[in-house]
Amino acid sequence: MKRYLSPSISTLVAITILCAAPAWGASAPVARAYREAHGPRILREYAELLSIPNVASDTVNIRRNAEFLRDQLSRRGISAELWELPDAPPIVYGALDVPGAERTLGIYVHYDGQPVDTSQWTNPPWSPTLYTAAIESGGMARELPADGEPIDPEWRIYARGSGDDKAPLPALFTALDALAEAGIEPTSNLRLLFEGEEEAGSDHLQEYLESHRDQLDVDLWLICDGPVHQSRRPQLVFGVRGYTGIEITVYGAGRYLHSGHYGNWAPNPAMRLARLLASMKDASGEVLVEGFYDSTAPVGVDELEAMATLPDYDGELRRELGLAETEAANAALAERLLIPSLNVHGMASAAVGEAARNIIPTEATASIDIRLAKGNDPAEMLDLVEAHVREQGYHIVREAPDRATRLEHPLITRIVRRTGYPAARTAVGMPIVQPIVEAARRASPDPVVLVPTMGGSLPLYLFTEVLDRPIVIVPIANHDDNQHAPDENLRIANLWYGIDLMGELLTLP
Amino acid sequence: MKRYLSPSISTLVAITILCAAPAWGASAPVARAYREAHGPRILREYAELLSIPNVASDTVNIRRNAEFLRDQLSRRGISAELWELPDAPPIVYGALDVPGAERTLGIYVHYDGQPVDTSQWTNPPWSPTLYTAAIESGGMARELPADGEPIDPEWRIYARGSGDDKAPLPALFTALDALAEAGIEPTSNLRLLFEGEEEAGSDHLQEYLESHRDQLDVDLWLICDGPVHQSRRPQLVFGVRGYTGIEITVYGAGRYLHSGHYGNWAPNPAMRLARLLASMKDASGEVLVEGFYDSTAPVGVDELEAMATLPDYDGELRRELGLAETEAANAALAERLLIPSLNVHGMASAAVGEAARNIIPTEATASIDIRLAKGNDPAEMLDLVEAHVREQGYHIVREAPDRATRLEHPLITRIVRRTGYPAARTAVGMPIVQPIVEAARRASPDPVVLVPTMGGSLPLYLFTEVLDRPIVIVPIANHDDNQHAPDENLRIANLWYGIDLMGELLTLP
């Protein structure tokens, strides 16, 4: 696919920071003026939200988040409530009907975050800490600014959930405050849906949506999640990859064996796992599972056109990440997202380093995630992987094998299938999405990147298939926000963009 | 190699338990009578020794072990002392000169044990606990027996070090006590050498031996370590494999990446490691590193004869371990020990199971041990592995790579080379070892297995090359003692055999 040569990232950043957005829209200046006047308070209020731990399985704290958000909506005149299901984080729902409005916008955000390994964080994950720049670029921790103190948009606030995905919440709340202060009404009815278990797999979202279908009759869902483009340009995204995965465990002897007395004789499960994984994907990045790419839907004309406008940021990204080469001979990232992926996100067998012992491990496990392109069925993709594993000579079990099974089959693997969901995509050329594109263009002086499919997964098929409504993904966070990783952060310039964008979206012509 | 069909293991066990050893020797009946009369006290005293934590790096407790052992020797009339080097566990040295004795026997034992992961132990590793049978066979914990209470030889005592390698110590002490009570003098001078850092690599043993060479002038070293044959028959072993190893780390991007946004594009280090490991060894167990087998010395005629007498226990062992097949199409274990091995004893990349996150790992590590056959030089073997890694396209570094290195080389691996030592072997036909063989035959009604090389590694080249004396390895512990693993144990029948054997060895004709 054709790609343009983009200006260097430092140029782009400079533009983002230095250029004030021109006053095209009715309310972007209102939102911007408001956040310029109240920046320190906005950061303090965001830090308050970020200080509430937000792992979905932490039932007490996840509810504290939900109640906090419900109260934030209520105090802004939004009719707000919590939806409840047993053993599920609540949904925070808000509705605002505007007299005379002919359009209803849905706004989706998730308030839960990924689990944390606190030992790997510079600061505790729920002790929001402001830095003068990214930590890895030499940023220093500093106090939150006092009222009236200037704010450098290159500052970053560090906390789990700061980028993924609490960031749209202060953007929305601030835009509502700005409009209220200026006496301006939103131009659309609003239906707000804040989910609390997206990072845990959104297991209850379908049930929530189906049982509240009448409260969710919108014209378009704005899905506020994910990062902006790696070039720091704003982007709108029209689809997501689906998601599934498996955990594969292979076995050796039934107990640890001394590697001297039995090494070379007893099978080594770590080595078996290595051979099995190596059989699944070649050095160029091509997945070798038969049929893996066959069900992927072709890409439409509007999508190809949008892709042709994507900045070519891959080279810069490689340098930033310290990668001499990427998969498939440096094929474009955007192209790689149009096909399903197979990624080992974890691997374990006994111990390494100081903890290593002279044993033959009893088992070895790999945790694999599979990202799906439009057209791929989650269960069918797992079936293909299992067929591949069987073709390597493995007998597949669902629980740890008993002795009889071990003695019957030389190669045994336990495969745990994850639940999954398909990809979703809205056509880039659809009329209802055009005002959204224009709003994003007004909110930022930089060209807006239109992306047919983003790499991340969200269960947006629930919106596009179950609720049967189009979606547009409206990202706010910086691309280098360490989402899903230690030291997650939000760059303040991205929060400012989010506020200005929300101002535009609430006042679409 | 020719192998005989052996009686079933249950038959062998029955013989071991039921047959009293015939009264061939001068002192085996003395030692046996003594341990039959004082069994409960012997177990209590062994439990006392086992209750002292014995990881070499635990300087306080390793010294407590050494002092305890020195006192045990002194109280038995052995001239005992501790040898010291900075930052090294002490050597416990004992000497006994017997008027008129024309032979000096060296007896080596190591009193340190492998590090533990306490969470995987049924009982704390240094709270010695007696069981009525192996835990995995339904054994129940029970009190240590009171004086006069009968002792079932199938009982097992669980503790770190119980099998590897404190077991010879109560055997030796009890045999000395038995002789003293009966007024019988040992027939050889004794030089006792108890090491405290064998499991940590014996880094100071050479220095200890070289600086005390004049106190170590023996005719033959009895190396008391390792388990008896898997058939439960006693065995004498004439050599050990050498040992070395590497830790290999391969790299992906410099920070965690979201597997959705970058999966299929950013290289995956877990997958890279899998391919690298898979390139080193094929599914049949053949190491694919060029030249890996070339330096291995041929095996002599006496050794081949000894091997031909080995019981064919492999099938039983496979059943016990739950293995339908072993490497190299079920090749004999004894044959597999004659060639160098390459074993992954641990592998890690990010996390699996509940802790897995949707990321692309930044690195993946495998810890590999290489067991050496006679003729293999440790450093040269690592050079061969490194040459293989380079041939797979990798740039080898010794520290974590910096950004410039990452950007220059698509494939980077950090290799940490372990220190190692060569194999050692004494000729099976050597005259000085024949009385030892006869002593073992007297101590047990079962045929004694003569093994040219055992699978485990010990730095016995220090005895055969540095001290230039022959060695015979004299194992006592059961083969299923979980050495190096959680729930290490010693079967009481093996302790009894050890006592009877020590009785014979102290009174060689």
Side-chain angles (χ1 to χ4, degrees), chain A residues 18-36:
Chain A
L18 298 176
C19 300
W24 288 302
S27 59
V30 169
R32 190 171 57 254
Y34 185 89
R35 54 104 169 145
E36 282 170 355

Side-chain angles (χ1 to χ4, degrees), chain A residues 150-439:
Chain A
I151 294 175
D152 182 341
E154 286 303 315
W155 289 353
R156 293 181 183 221
I157 188 160
Y158 282 78
R160 172 57 89 219
S162 56
D164 180 18
D165 177 40
K166 286 180 170 174
L169 299 167
L172 173 64
F173 299 156
T174 305
L176 286 167
D177 292 343
L179 295 190
E181 192 182 66
I184 299 173
E185 282 268 36
T187 54
S188 307
N189 302 316
L190 300 178
R191 300 292 179 265
L192 311 176
L193 186 77
F194 304 158
E195 190 194 2
E197 63 172 347
E198 196 274 339
E199 300 293 1
S202 295
D203 286 344
H204 299 83
L205 185 56
Q206 180 157 3
E207 193 176 346
Y208 274 129
L209 297 186
E210 286 177 341
S211 56
H212 294 274
R213 195 183 283 271
D214 55 337
Q215 292 173 275
L216 298 170
D217 187 16
V218 305
D219 296 296
L220 174 73
W221 279 104
L222 300 172
I223 307 295
C224 299
D225 196 6
V228 301
H229 193 262
Q230 293 89 348
S231 63
R232 299 213 188 284
R233 295 186 193 178
Q235 69 181 355
L236 296 176
V237 184
F238 295 83
V240 288
R241 295 211 270 190
Y243 180 85
T244 187
I246 52 173
E247 189 148 290
I248 295 186
T249 300
V250 302
Y251 297 90
R255 59 178 169 87
Y256 282 129
L257 293 176
H258 186 290
S259 63
H261 296 306
Y262 299 99
N264 248 24
W265 180 82
N268 186 304
M271 207 49 121
R272 282 182 167 172
L273 182 64
R275 276 192 292 272
L276 184 56
L277 293 176
S279 78
M280 291 184 184
K281 201 170 178 182
D282 71 16
S284 79
E286 174 93 1
V287 176
L288 303 174
V289 172
E290 200 179 327
F292 195 75
Y293 297 113
D294 293 356
S295 58
T296 301
V299 179
V301 174
D302 287 330
E303 284 68 28
L304 287 175
E305 272 178 18
M307 287 192 57
T309 69
L310 294 180
D312 178 11
Y313 184 58
D314 289 6
E316 188 62 38
L317 196 56
R318 271 190 288 273
R319 276 186 292 281
E320 180 191 321
L321 297 173
L323 292 169
E325 273 177 22
T326 43
E327 295 201 336
N330 289 337
L333 173 54
E335 290 168 28
R336 299 292 289 167
L337 301 184
L338 291 171
I339 56 173
S341 76
L342 186 148
N343 173 61
V344 178
H345 60 221
M347 192 161 71
S349 184
V352 301
E354 290 298 308
R357 286 170 297 158
N358 294 327
I359 49 99
I360 304 171
T362 54
E363 57 183 60
T365 298
S367 194
I368 293 175
D369 71 284
I370 295 172
R371 302 284 172 164
L372 305 174
K374 180 97 175 164
N376 306 147
D377 177 78
E380 282 170 16
M381 295 297 276
L382 295 190
D383 291 346
L384 292 176
V385 174
E386 290 197 353
H388 175 89
V389 170
R390 283 198 184 88
E391 217 157 277
Q392 310 308 306
Y394 277 89
H395 173 69
I396 295 177
V397 295
R398 302 301 169 185
E399 300 293 334
D402 58 18
R403 177 172 298 242
T405 307
R406 284 169 175 270
L407 290 176
E408 191 178 353
H409 302 280
L411 296 172
I412 300 174
T413 180
R414 177 182 179 222
I415 294 189
V416 178
R417 294 166 69 115
R418 296 219 194 93
T419 54
Y421 50 78
R425 217 157 69 200
T426 291
V428 174
M430 206 174 184
I432 182 86
V433 305
Q434 301 320 309
I436 309 298
V437 175
E438 293 309 316

Side-chain angles (χ1 to χ4, degrees), chain A residues 489-504:
Chain A
N489 64 82
L490 179 68
R491 180 171 161 263
I492 303 305
N494 286 72
L495 177 56
W496 291 170
Y497 161 70
I499 291 169
D500 298 354
L501 177 64
M502 282 292 179
E504 291 290 349

Side-chain angles (χ1 to χ4, degrees), chain B residues 38 130 152 162 180 189 272 328 382 399:
Chain B
H38 302 292
L130 194 63
D152 182 341
S162 55
N189 302 316
R272 282 181 166 173
L382 295 189
E399 300 292 334

Side-chain angles (χ1 to χ4, degrees), chain A residues 10-31:
Chain A
S10 54
T11 315
L12 287 167
V13 171
I15 293 169
T16 307
I17 299 166
L18 298 176
C19 300
W24 288 302
S27 59
V30 169

